[in-house]
Amino acid sequence: MARIAGSSGPKTEEAIRRAGLQLLYTHGYAAMSLRQLAGAVGIQQGSLYNYFRNKQEFLFELIRSHMRDLHAALDAALLPEGNGVARLTRFVEFHVAYHIERPQEVFICYSELRSLEPENFSAIVAMRRDYEDKLIEILEFGRATGEFRLADTRMAAYAILAMLSGICTWYRPGGRLSKDEVRETFLGMVLSLVSGVGMEESLPEPPRLAEVSRSGARRR
């Protein structure tokens, strides 16, 4: 978040950010107060205004900072070349690892999007759409090369992101599955999704009720 003249320094700013993340993660935006935040950092409430104007700006800057970090990390991780499977594999591996490592930021980014005022909401949604577009580009590339069988790459991207991002709500270090096992399981499911039967292929017509009754009747 931007530093305002007269603040006491970046260490205090980082302490405010960490404490705010914990409070938002534990209590939610509506229940968190600036008095709580100041108390968690050990400063006077008035000192917070050296770093942001109000609670809404604090939330917005936290989420925007997270989205900027997410974009930068993804750009560094993606393969500039390679086939569709290799590119999608790298995306999935990155997304899962990032969400495991930063569960608080990810959870707040999703759960508190509704708490943003309209202008701030639109700015974050645009950043999320840019992230989604990078996955869609990979899926479209794989479809063009014949590796992926997808009728609607945008719908597939939404499904993949919804599945992968949910990890921040249930994964716990030291649980039944290791990070590597979670990553490999997710990767297998995603690759199965994109290489399976596409929606443009018609499903077999279901049997008529009379036919089911005849085939299922016992022979006497």
Side-chain angles (χ1 to χ4, degrees):
M1 77 193 60
R3 180 184 175 192
I4 300 173
S7 66
S8 58
K11 289 185 178 180
T12 301
E13 184 176 1
E14 177 59 21
I16 292 171
R17 188 193 71 83
R18 289 198 307 269
L21 281 172
Q22 184 61 50
L23 288 170
L24 286 167
Y25 185 73
T26 303
H27 303 291
Y29 177 77
M32 187 197 84
S33 70
L34 294 184
R35 178 174 294 183
Q36 283 179 310
L37 179 57
V41 179
I43 60 177
Q44 295 296 317
Q45 183 175 334
S47 299
L48 294 174
Y49 301 115
N50 290 324
Y51 301 91
F52 52 86
R53 289 187 291 270
N54 50 50
K55 191 169 75 165
Q56 174 66 202
E57 183 178 86
F58 176 68
L59 176 65
F60 174 61
E61 290 296 343
L62 275 180
I63 296 178
R64 183 167 65 171
S65 176
H66 162 74
M67 291 302 300
R68 285 173 172 168
D69 290 347
L70 179 65
H71 277 281
L74 176 63
D75 289 342
L78 288 180
L79 293 173
E81 299 177 352
N83 61 22
V85 170
R87 295 183 186 188
L88 182 57
T89 296
R90 182 61 64 87
F91 180 94
V92 172
E93 290 176 343
F94 163 80
H95 192 89
V96 172
Y98 190 95
H99 282 56
I100 286 177
E101 293 165 4
R102 303 179 69 167
Q104 290 184 339
E105 291 96 324
V106 171
F107 180 81
I108 291 167
C109 187
Y110 283 95
S111 65
E112 297 297 350
L113 189 65
R114 62 187 177 183
S115 300
L116 293 173
E117 294 175 354
E119 184 177 353
N120 294 337
F121 177 87
S122 297
I124 298 303
V125 168
M127 297 178 79
R128 289 181 60 173
R129 188 173 296 116
D130 289 342
Y131 186 85
E132 293 162 358
D133 286 344
K134 292 174 182 179
L135 174 56
I136 292 169
E137 183 179 349
I138 293 172
L139 297 178
E140 290 180 345
F141 176 83
R143 183 171 66 174
T145 60
E147 298 169 80
F148 304 154
R149 301 174 67 187
L150 295 168
D152 190 320
T153 54
R154 184 168 294 275
M155 182 182 293
Y158 291 160
I160 291 169
L161 289 172
M163 177 175 66
L164 300 183
S165 300
I167 192 172
C168 69
T169 65
W170 59 263
Y171 178 79
R172 295 293 181 271
R176 182 172 62 87
L177 299 174
S178 68
K179 293 180 182 180
D180 290 343
E181 288 172 325
V182 170
R183 184 190 66 241
E184 291 303 314
T185 299
F186 271 136
L187 181 58
M189 289 191 289
V190 170
L191 293 179
S192 294
L193 185 155
V194 300
S195 61
V197 176
M199 289 184 293
E200 75 282 359
E201 297 187 22
S202 58
L203 296 174
E205 183 179 353
R208 297 178 181 178
L209 181 60
E211 295 175 347
V212 173
S213 299
R214 285 197 300 270
S215 62
R218 291 183 179 178
R219 294 183 179 179
R220 298 181 183 276

